[in-house]
Amino acid sequence: MSDAGGEPRRTQDRDYHQGPVVMRRSKVPGSTTDQRLLDDDGSADWLHTDPWRVMRIQSEFVNGFGALAEVGPAVSVFGSARTRPDAPEYALGEQVGRALVEAGYAVITGGGPGAMEAANKGALEAGGTSVGLGIELPFEAGLNPHVDLGVNFRYFFARKTMFVKYACGFIVLPGGFGTLDELFEAVTLVQTQKVTSFPIVLVGSRYWGGLLDWLRETAAATGTVSERDLALLTLTDDVDEAVRTVVEADERAGRAARRPARGTE
């Protein structure tokens, strides 16, 4: 994902994606599937509906696993949906997508606009696999045009599982709440050893430096995080260094050899 950016638009003016279903105009619902799952209206209707929701949740995992199982080595790239095509961060996203493909990786994003679109575009133009994992939101317009393998999800938690399960690392571009959510969830999974040998790279020292300073000078200083926790994050302005961090982590983990870079096949 990342940040569900921009001002909300009238949902009736565009396609609305709910899993594999597309709705328009009067068929667009007034709330999302996640919202209906998590809201508590005080009634006991959930006693009768939640068991069926489990089947829908199961289907999201099955569809995601089936679509992504043969993608091969991949890296998830996150960043703001608000990033404009003329912004330096957009060009940075394109560079990241291109460099990952040249290193033998597929690129997985949230499939939205902005930085996600940029990474997908760079991957596609480099001849690699460009994956988008979309989410049902009231103000997003579906997958960006540079995705060549896309899966739409109703539930954030199912989608987040795919970001981690089918990637061997995260590269994080400047972003907002959605990006921060994915970043800190990944850090927590590595910290608690739910995933291992999983590099997390922040690209953009001017953007991310203040956050790392706060973590070091406030959180670590008060003992709520450790220096070892902070070492889980790599900060750089160099796209090549970001990709090299992922490659070196793979090599240390002894994972299977990567696909050859484009032009060497």
Side-chain angles (χ1 to χ4, degrees), residues 56-73:
R56 177 178 287 172
I57 292 167
Q58 180 181 353
S59 74
E60 293 222 330
F61 282 103
V62 170
N63 289 337
F65 293 160
L68 301 176
E70 297 181 358
V71 163

Side-chain angles (χ1 to χ4, degrees), residues 99-100 103 105 171 199 201 236 238-252:
L100 285 170
Y105 296 93
I171 292 182
V201 186
T236 183
D238 188 332
V239 170
D240 290 336
E241 181 183 357
V243 175
R244 187 165 59 249
T245 300
V246 175
V247 172
E248 290 175 352
D250 271 351
E251 291 173 348
R252 288 193 300 271

Side-chain angles (χ1 to χ4, degrees), residues 168-171 190 197-201 232 245-247 249-250 255:
C168 48
F170 282 0
I171 292 182
V190 178
S197 303
F198 196 88
I200 303 168
V201 186
L232 300 175
T245 300
V246 175
V247 172
D250 271 351
R255 281 190 272 256

